[in-house]
Amino acid sequence: MEIILDGKKLAAELEIRLKQDIDHLSIIAGRRPGLAVIRVGEDPASGVYVSNKEKACKRVGIDSSIFHLKEDSSFDDILGTVASLNNDLNVDGILLQLPLPNGFDETRLLKAIDPEKDVDGLHTINLGRLIKGEAGPRSCTPAGIMALLRYNNIDLEGKRVVVIGRSILVGKPMALMLQAANATVTVAHSKTLNLAELTNQADLLVVAAGKPNLIGCEHVSPGCIVVDVGIHRIQTSTNLIESKFKLCGDVRAKEVASKVRAMTPVPGGVGPMTVAMLLVNTVNRWQFHCGLSSTVSDLLP
Ligand code: NAP
């Protein structure tokens, strides 16, 4: 493998740049950027993700506040929290941490967020803007992948790309962003037949299936570039005292490493870029709300 697509390194560089922008521009704006994160229930993974986002905000100088609602909160409680944050002039970005506990209408809640504060880029209006090529907040994970590819000088024009996964969170916006960069994109999903035959034609393969170790040597052609979006905590051993875990992606990394040209590591690839793009989106929304020119538009696909 020639290139490791190091998301951790780029995310750290972006944080330095964002901190400088915030330190400088908050004097003109009269306040720092504000991010509100709504978490519902006690899902432990969500707890870790929210805490990582809070720490990242602190590092760059974004004022973050967490609104942690109980699992037995009513739909109207959450809706009321969203409405008050929509009206709060110190809040530039609102993030609803997903997944929500069973039974909540995720789509309705996402739609209730002011589209101009939708730092996850999942509002219907912002997905529509992406389809039409209009400016607006972009979904963090695919936008982070685009930034990582650009940083590593990976040219997408005319390239054959296969995206595995068609979720609203990753697969669909990813395919649209790659298409906008003039790649020829095919989207695969759980009903796709002969997956390996398809993926072997790819110059770039983006894997967002959410299935540990799905993709191996038989799926990639020599010189392919692989982006592994999946992240899974796998138990490796257990005894009476402790269980051991390791993180892995959707790709059998060791197996494909010798065959591919470039690849994202897990951890340290897509994950840090997702958090970095949340910061970028928040700074972008802050500049928009304060009437400042955007200093981060080059980072938004
Ligand atoms: P999701 O909503 O479960 O979507 C998975 C997609 O993969 C679906 O479209 C599904 O097809 C497709 N799929 C499942 N099994 C397949 C198979 N065997 N062959 C081909 N396609 C298959 O998941 P998601 O939210 O997009 O997330 C995907 C993965 O990325 C998860 O592991 C998640 O944890 C990870 N993730 C990581 C980050 C990060 O920052 N690192 C951010 C977001 C997500 P159907 O549509 O037919 O069901």
Side-chain angles (χ1 to χ4, degrees):
M1 180 169 43
E2 284 168 39
I3 313 167
I4 294 171
L5 302 170
D6 189 341
K8 199 172 165 190
K9 177 168 172 259
L10 176 55
E13 285 183 22
L14 290 178
E15 283 191 11
I16 292 169
R17 175 174 157 186
L18 292 175
K19 186 175 184 322
Q20 282 169 352
D21 286 352
I22 293 169
D23 286 347
H24 169 61
L25 291 170
S26 55
I27 299 163
I28 304 164
R31 64 175 179 84
R32 291 181 168 274
L35 173 70
V37 179
I38 304 172
R39 179 185 169 204
V40 186
E42 300 304 325
D43 174 46
S46 290
V48 174
Y49 291 140
V50 168
S51 156
N52 286 343
K53 288 167 187 172
E54 200 178 6
K55 285 180 198 153
C57 283
K58 206 169 179 180
R59 287 196 295 272
V60 299
I62 292 174
D63 290 333
S64 67
S65 19
I66 313 299
F67 294 79
H68 191 174
L69 281 76
K70 295 207 171 81
E71 184 137 6
D72 61 2
S73 301
S74 69
F75 186 81
D76 285 345
D77 287 338
I78 311 176
L79 215 52
T81 306
V82 171
S84 77
L85 294 170
N86 280 344
N87 291 326
D88 188 333
L89 294 178
N90 289 318
V91 171
D92 298 294
I94 303 170
L95 181 134
L96 180 64
Q97 183 65 41
L98 301 175
L100 295 171
N102 286 339
F104 286 105
D105 185 344
E106 193 174 291
T107 310
R108 230 183 109 198
L109 285 170
L110 288 172
K111 252 188 184 168
I113 295 173
D114 176 351
E116 301 306 346
K117 296 190 176 187
D118 169 37
V119 278
D120 237 355
L122 297 177
H123 193 286
T124 308
I125 287 186
N126 288 324
L127 290 168
R129 286 170 166 165
L130 172 62
I131 289 176
K132 294 187 82 179
E134 293 174 9
R138 297 290 194 245
S139 182
C140 297
T141 302
I145 292 168
M146 294 302 286
L148 191 56
L149 294 172
R150 208 168 35 245
Y151 179 77
N152 285 280
N153 298 316
I154 295 190
D155 182 23
L156 293 167
E157 188 161 310
K159 297 292 184 309
R160 288 161 304 177
V161 181
V162 174
V163 177
I164 305 181
R166 56 176 167 181
S167 73
I168 285 294
L169 189 64
V170 187
K172 280 187 178 137
M174 182 81 261
L176 288 166
M177 289 177 199
L178 289 161
Q179 222 170 57
N182 293 324
T184 303
V185 184
T186 308
V187 177
H189 46 75
S190 67
K191 304 290 184 285
T192 297
L193 302 176
N194 303 325
L195 185 66
E197 194 181 302
L198 187 70
T199 56
N200 264 289
Q201 295 167 31
D203 300 307
L204 167 67
L205 178 62
V206 181
V207 191
K211 296 279 180 280
N213 299 318
L214 175 73
I215 298 302
C217 227
E218 71 279 20
H219 292 93
V220 295
S221 56
C224 179
I225 294 165
V226 178
V227 173
D228 189 354
V229 185
I231 182 139
H232 312 276
R233 195 164 172 261
I234 303 284
Q235 192 167 344
T236 52
S237 67
T238 185
N239 58 37
L240 284 175
I241 302 160
E242 58 169 4
S243 299
K244 287 193 175 156
F245 294 90
K246 69 167 189 173
L247 290 177
C248 77
D250 286 358
V251 179
R252 283 170 253 145
K254 276 191 191 147
E255 197 182 301
V256 303
S258 57
K259 206 170 174 186
V260 300
R261 177 156 84 88
M263 197 172 148
T264 56
V266 175
V270 175
M273 288 308 300
T274 299
V275 178
M277 289 315 294
L278 172 67
L279 306 178
V280 168
N281 275 342
T282 305
V283 168
N284 184 254
R285 295 294 84 203
W286 169 64
Q287 294 174 336
F288 172 80
H289 289 131
C290 294
L292 302 167
S293 307
S294 176
T295 57
V296 290
S297 51
D298 61 304
L299 296 167
L300 294 168

